[in-house]
Amino acid sequence: MSEVTERHLRILEALLFASKEPLDANSLLAYLGEGADVAALLLELQSRYASRGVNLVRRADKWAFRTAEDLGFLLRREEQETRPLSRAALETLAIIAYHQPATRAEIEEVRGVATGKGTIDLLLEAGWIRMRGRRRTPGRPVTYGTTEAFLDHFGLEALGDLPGLDELKGSGLLSNRLPPSLQIPLPFEGALRDDEDPLEPGDEDLEDNS
């Protein structure tokens, strides 16, 4: 392997180790210069770390070093002490993940009970869901979707890696009363759907009365 390639690999290695957040290929390319094949370099670096204590993993379209799965029990990240998610929050998160973009009314339809604003706020503060836009229906309700932080926290490369609904129901996370429309989502997409309008300035600070 050429000296240039090895230097590029060392640069990528240093950048990814130093970053607190996953990085995308375009961000990394800025440090390598035009002509560098970032995709191939990342795959080579991933291969080199495949059997080590840390692995290079992909989260949506970004990359990060994470503790190898079989050694996760040895290390703990320093985290602020927080209350565990309630069953309502876990169910809401699961429904958004599998049914996004979803409005609060659609979440309530699946769960069969009202969803308090505090539950949505908790997931927003955790960084696992985001306000995507507003549905083009009466009342223009806010639509919610998952974030890249959600993928990273749960060790998913893409939404298509989510467990099947049968497995999810078997874990007790969702009840068996699921509508036929609840399906495995398409791979992660940040773009709005045809039935959504973009958020307007200040929307994030408004009460969601949908």
Side-chain angles (χ1 to χ4, degrees), residues 74-133:
L74 295 174
L75 301 175
R76 294 181 180 177
R77 294 185 187 177
E78 294 182 3
E79 298 177 347
Q80 294 181 346
E81 186 175 345
T82 58
R83 293 179 302 170
L85 288 181
S86 65
R87 182 180 180 84
L90 286 171
E91 285 192 356
T92 299
L93 178 61
I95 291 166
I96 291 173
Y98 282 88
H99 201 50
Q100 60 188 299
T103 65
R104 195 198 311 179
E106 291 166 345
I107 295 168
E108 292 173 347
E109 180 181 357
V110 175
R111 294 190 62 227
V113 295
T115 299
K117 185 176 184 295
T119 299
I120 297 290
D121 286 344
L122 181 64
L123 296 174
L124 288 168
E125 291 171 5
W128 293 344
I129 67 170
R130 64 186 176 91
M131 297 169 65
R132 289 173 46 98

Side-chain angles (χ1 to χ4, degrees), residues 145-208:
T146 53
T147 64
E148 290 177 351
F150 165 82
L151 296 177
D152 191 28
H153 182 84
F154 289 98
L156 305 172
E157 182 174 324
L159 288 175
D161 295 329
L162 283 166
L165 291 178
D166 289 339
E167 182 179 345
L168 204 61
K169 287 186 289 185
S171 69
L173 186 55
L174 284 181
S175 69
N176 291 320
R177 297 179 300 173
L178 295 174
S181 60
L182 194 63
Q183 300 175 350
I184 299 294
L186 295 174
F188 183 86
E189 284 287 348
L192 297 174
R193 291 197 330 189
D194 292 340
D195 61 351
E196 292 178 280
D197 286 324
L199 295 171
E200 298 177 357
D203 266 354
E204 290 83 354
D205 301 322
L206 297 177
E207 176 85 16
D208 177 14

